Amino acid sequence: SIFRSACVYLKGEMCIAVLRLLTGKYNEGAGLRAIDELGNLPIHIAVKESTLDVVVYLLDTYPELVNMITEDGNNLLHLALF
């Protein structure tokens, strides 16, 4: 997915700038609830990829994402431990 690629290949302010473009495109963050082919939301991908700046941005901007779980029932803490 575009979001996974951004998390993996872009770092810091460049990644946040791209993220702002992606989330703005989808009406106030609605795209942050788009599930990828593996059943992950963007917040899950950011945690799995250990992209701390993206995780912080997402949680600061959309604090309700902290409660999102994967299709397997894992929360952000579970994913961070893997």
Side-chain angles (χ1 to χ4, degrees), residues 13-41:
E13 289 301 314
M14 179 61 77
C15 187
I16 299 300
V18 170
L19 183 58
R20 285 186 181 123
L21 289 173
L22 292 174
T23 57
K25 179 180 177 183
Y26 296 107
N27 284 332
E28 301 299 319
L32 296 176
R33 289 181 177 65
I35 298 172
D36 73 2
E37 63 279 356
L38 300 175
N40 296 303
L41 295 166

Side-chain angles (χ1 to χ4, degrees), residues 4-77:
R4 182 177 301 279
S5 297
C7 282
V8 172
Y9 298 109
L10 300 174
K11 300 292 181 202
E13 289 301 314
M14 179 61 77
C15 187
I16 299 300
V18 170
L19 183 58
R20 285 186 181 123
L21 289 173
L22 292 174
T23 57
K25 179 180 177 183
Y26 296 107
N27 284 332
E28 301 299 319
L32 296 176
R33 289 181 177 65
I35 298 172
D36 73 2
E37 63 279 356
L38 300 175
N40 296 303
L41 295 166
I43 188 71
H44 301 138
I45 295 167
V47 170
K48 286 180 177 182
E49 298 295 338
S50 300
T51 314
L52 183 60
D53 49 347
V54 174
V55 173
V56 169
Y57 168 77
L58 290 173
L59 292 177
D60 282 349
T61 308
Y62 308 99
E64 68 276 9
L65 293 177
V66 74
N67 297 317
M68 302 304 255
I69 59 172
T70 64
E71 289 183 348
D72 297 335
N74 293 315
N75 63 29
L76 300 181
L77 183 58

